[in-house]
Amino acid sequence: MVLNKIQLDNEKETLLITLYAKALDSRSKNSILKDKKAAELVDMIDYNFEKLHSFGNETMVVRAKQLDSWLHTFLENHQDATVLNLGCGLDTRISRVHPPSTVKWFDVDYPEVIEVRKHFYSNCEGYQMIASSVTELNWLEKIPKDKPAIIIAEGLLEYLTKDEVEILLERLTKHFPSGQIAFDVMNSFAINAGKEHLKKTTGAEHKWAVDDIHEVDKLNAKLKRIASFSIFRSKYIHKLPFKLRFLYTIMYVVPNFRNMIRLLLYKF
């Protein structure tokens, strides 16, 4: 099966950037994610993926692996948890993580994105797709609130405004009794450096820049940061080819580069 050309625009189209990054990684000799499902999806989609080669594919793979790792750890200690994968796109995380049957997993994204996702996934026992922007008010009501939750927002929050992020965090921490939330943030330097290329390629625009993570800490009193580091300091960087490892080591020395992308984990 090959899908007809996908008609997505702006931030919706960026889901293909992360999907392609994971597909490329799966085809490499020393794959980090080993995400064969992502490669299968790319082969089934009629889209010019070649134009996405210059979006820092390796850092997206490292980001995904780190978030997977945090998710695995949480589920080891909460086997009846709720997993909320926000801005899921065509992410294959559930296929990589293989959660226990006792876990309730929800993938959330725009209605147009979920319509595409339905070509590859179906709702079933323990798994449900929710068609909604995360900034809408009623989608969270569809999710049970009686279990600890882990919330993943991969490559999502930078497309929201600071006010929208604050409101979303308030709604999430109010809805669930306890849990964790993991996400990435970009600094002003990274957003400005990639602004024109991102807009020209997809029409999307990053809106929330984080230059001081203490400002993130202040967004919600219930959130307590338990991990934060530059993506260039993730242990999974060491699985990349030597040339990339060397490049990222050099980049880490320069503050603007060091904090381009940071990975954050909070508990509540």
Side-chain angles (χ1 to χ4, degrees):
M1 178 187 76
V2 176
L3 286 182
N4 292 328
K5 277 197 175 292
I6 291 180
Q7 300 299 319
L8 296 173
D9 58 10
N10 301 330
E11 65 270 26
K12 303 177 191 71
E13 188 175 356
T14 64
L15 68 87
L16 297 170
I17 300 174
T18 52
L19 178 68
Y20 186 51
K22 294 163 188 175
L24 288 178
D25 170 72
S26 75
R27 295 164 180 160
S28 67
K29 185 187 301 183
N30 299 308
S31 174
I32 294 175
L33 283 176
K34 299 179 174 61
D35 194 342
K36 293 182 178 179
K37 180 76 172 176
E40 291 174 7
L41 267 58
V42 164
D43 288 340
M44 296 165 68
I45 295 172
D46 181 9
Y47 182 84
N48 177 23
F49 284 98
E50 291 297 317
K51 71 178 185 177
L52 306 180
H53 262 297
S54 56
F55 275 98
N57 295 325
E58 296 82 6
T59 56
M60 293 182 193
V61 170
V62 170
R63 177 181 69 184
K65 183 67 175 179
Q66 184 63 60
L67 296 177
D68 284 0
S69 176
W70 283 337
L71 177 55
H72 273 296
T73 299
F74 187 86
L75 293 181
E76 285 174 1
N77 298 310
H78 305 86
Q79 297 202 1
D80 63 342
T82 296
V83 175
L84 198 52
N85 194 25
L86 302 181
C88 62
L90 292 180
D91 179 52
T92 57
R93 176 163 279 116
I94 192 168
S95 302
R96 297 195 304 268
V97 172
H98 300 295
S101 59
T102 47
V103 164
K104 302 296 183 185
W105 187 299
F106 298 88
D107 277 340
V108 184
D109 213 320
Y110 289 106
E112 303 96 312
V113 173
I114 295 299
E115 283 305 307
V116 175
R117 188 174 179 85
K118 285 179 180 178
H119 288 278
F120 310 108
Y121 287 93
S122 300
N123 289 340
C124 59
E125 182 66 29
Y127 175 72
Q128 183 178 342
M129 293 175 283
I130 296 179
S132 175
S133 164
V134 297
T135 59
E136 292 295 329
L137 296 178
N138 59 356
W139 65 268
L140 198 52
E141 298 170 2
K142 302 174 183 178
I143 299 174
K145 57 174 70 174
D146 59 336
K147 303 290 184 183
I150 180 162
I151 302 151
I152 305 292
E154 178 183 355
L156 168 68
L157 300 187
E158 44 267 71
Y159 291 102
L160 306 182
T161 65
K162 180 181 177 181
D163 287 345
E164 288 172 332
V165 172
E166 186 171 8
I167 291 169
L168 177 61
L169 293 177
E170 172 64 24
R171 293 177 61 214
L172 291 169
T173 55
K174 186 176 180 180
H175 186 82
F176 296 106
S178 62
Q180 294 182 2
I181 177 166
F183 54 94
D184 56 285
V185 294
M186 299 172 64
N187 68 8
S188 300
F189 176 79
I191 286 177
N192 290 330
K195 184 185 227 178
E196 292 305 317
H197 183 46
L198 179 66
K199 192 167 186 178
K200 181 179 179 180
T201 308
T202 67
E205 179 182 358
H206 290 134
K207 300 174 182 176
W208 185 40
V210 175
D211 295 315
D212 180 357
I213 58 174
H214 293 96
E215 293 301 315
V216 183
D217 298 344
K218 296 174 185 177
L219 289 178
N220 189 295
K222 294 179 183 178
L223 292 177
K224 305 300 177 186
R225 177 157 45 95
I226 55 179
S228 63
F229 47 80
S230 164
I231 197 167
F232 302 130
R233 274 295 181 259
S234 170
K235 63 183 180 180
Y236 300 109
I237 286 288
H238 299 294
K239 296 193 174 189
L240 294 174
F242 172 76
K243 287 184 179 180
L244 281 173
R245 297 201 312 270
F246 179 74
L247 173 63
Y248 292 154
T249 299
I250 298 300
M251 291 174 68
Y252 187 78
V253 176
V254 183
N256 278 342
F257 286 113
R258 178 190 310 146
N259 296 322
M260 287 178 71
I261 304 173
R262 281 178 284 188
L263 302 172
L264 308 179
L265 178 65
Y266 289 83
K267 67 177 180 180
F268 61 90

